[in-house]
Amino acid sequence: MFRRSWRSQMTASEGQRGAVFFLLYLLVFPRLNAWVQRVLMGDGEALVAEANVIYYLFLFIITLFVFWGFLRKDLEQLLDWLPENLFGVVLGLALAGGAALLLRQIPFLPANPISRQYAEEFAAAPTATLVLILVLIPVVEETLYRGLFFGQLRGYSRTLAMWVSILFYTLSHVWRYALEVGDILYLLPLALLSLPMSVALTWCYDNGGSVWSCVVLHGALNGLSLLLGR
């Protein structure tokens, strides 16, 4: 089967600005968000879904500001490589969704805390939760993790980009749950639960070359995670 030449649509200046944003996203903004919520809520109970929508809306705006040129060109890539991108979405959803359902049957694995969190937030604020998990989170995370992180590494090595991106995305999404439990070994089953989604999203971008197909797939898998958590 003929494989087209893969090339990231991100410019060097976007990559540099994006790297700074990515570091802030990982190391600074979460702590700043927690501090703001403590100040605003005081001793009251935080409205988690609404607060997360505001937080990710802030990240969404920065993402558009930093990566506007990339996202516009990447939309053209989606249309130019439409069969590959559609195939990536459909196959990624089938395989990652199927793997998630199979993993639920393994008795020693814990319940997926991300699915549980989505379900709890949906019960409290349905509209805010859907906007968050179907639109805001997919756009922000796919632009950063796939468009920036994977795209920059793939210029050096496709194999390296695949392995590092899959592991980094998986661990960055589950480490805080292991810290909450206080057991670093808890990372292993949590990573196993998140691994199918990470593999599917990374492969989808590599296959179609557009983060927009990954945004669609990410939103679909988040929706499935919400259903499984209810």
Side-chain angles (χ1 to χ4, degrees):
M1 179 180 177
F2 175 72
R3 182 177 179 85
R4 306 196 211 190
S5 177
W6 195 99
R7 182 174 66 87
S8 173
Q9 305 300 311
M10 189 173 294
T11 65
S13 61
E14 285 176 323
Q16 293 165 2
R17 295 193 303 269
V20 175
F21 174 37
F22 200 16
L23 290 175
L24 293 173
Y25 168 80
L26 291 174
L27 304 175
V28 177
F29 289 156
R31 291 176 173 81
L32 181 61
N33 179 47
W35 177 79
V36 170
Q37 287 194 44
R38 286 197 302 270
V39 170
L40 293 179
M41 298 303 300
D43 296 329
E45 183 177 352
L47 301 176
V48 177
E50 290 87 345
N52 283 339
V53 166
I54 295 173
Y55 174 60
Y56 269 94
L57 183 59
F58 165 72
L59 297 176
F60 178 81
I61 292 171
I62 298 180
T63 299
L64 294 183
F65 178 76
V66 173
F67 297 106
W68 178 256
F70 165 71
L71 292 172
R72 178 181 54 79
K73 289 183 291 185
D74 217 54
L75 181 59
E76 297 174 359
Q77 179 87 334
L78 171 68
L79 300 177
D80 290 341
W81 288 27
L82 191 58
E84 291 90 342
N85 281 285
L86 288 176
F87 179 70
V89 171
V90 173
L91 185 61
L93 180 59
L95 294 181
L101 292 173
L102 288 175
L103 287 172
R104 285 170 59 87
Q105 309 307 314
I106 300 178
F108 66 84
L109 286 180
N112 192 322
I114 298 176
S115 296
R116 184 176 65 249
Q117 178 182 337
Y118 287 167
E120 292 172 354
E121 293 182 4
F122 182 80
T127 302
T129 302
L130 290 178
V131 171
L132 178 69
I133 70 173
L134 299 183
V135 180
L136 298 180
I137 289 177
V139 171
V140 172
E141 291 193 349
E142 293 313 307
T143 303
L144 289 174
Y145 283 98
R146 249 62 62 178
L148 176 67
F149 191 77
F150 175 82
Q152 297 299 307
L153 286 177
R154 199 186 188 284
Y156 298 97
S157 168
R158 178 173 180 256
T159 302
L160 175 67
M162 292 286 288
W163 280 103
V164 173
S165 298
I166 288 170
L167 293 176
F168 181 69
Y169 181 77
T170 300
L171 294 177
S172 68
H173 277 68
V174 300
W175 68 271
R176 67 184 181 93
Y177 297 105
L179 291 180
E180 289 175 1
V181 173
D183 182 1
I184 194 64
L185 293 179
Y186 192 53
L187 270 176
L188 298 178
L190 292 183
L192 182 60
L193 291 172
S194 296
L195 190 61
M197 181 174 181
S198 182
V199 172
L201 290 170
T202 304
W203 176 82
C204 182
Y205 185 45
D206 182 66
N207 186 73
S210 175
V211 294
W212 290 110
S213 61
C214 300
V215 168
V216 174
L217 177 58
H218 195 148
L221 291 173
N222 278 352
L224 177 62
S225 184
L226 170 62
L227 292 175
L228 293 178
R230 298 181 66 191

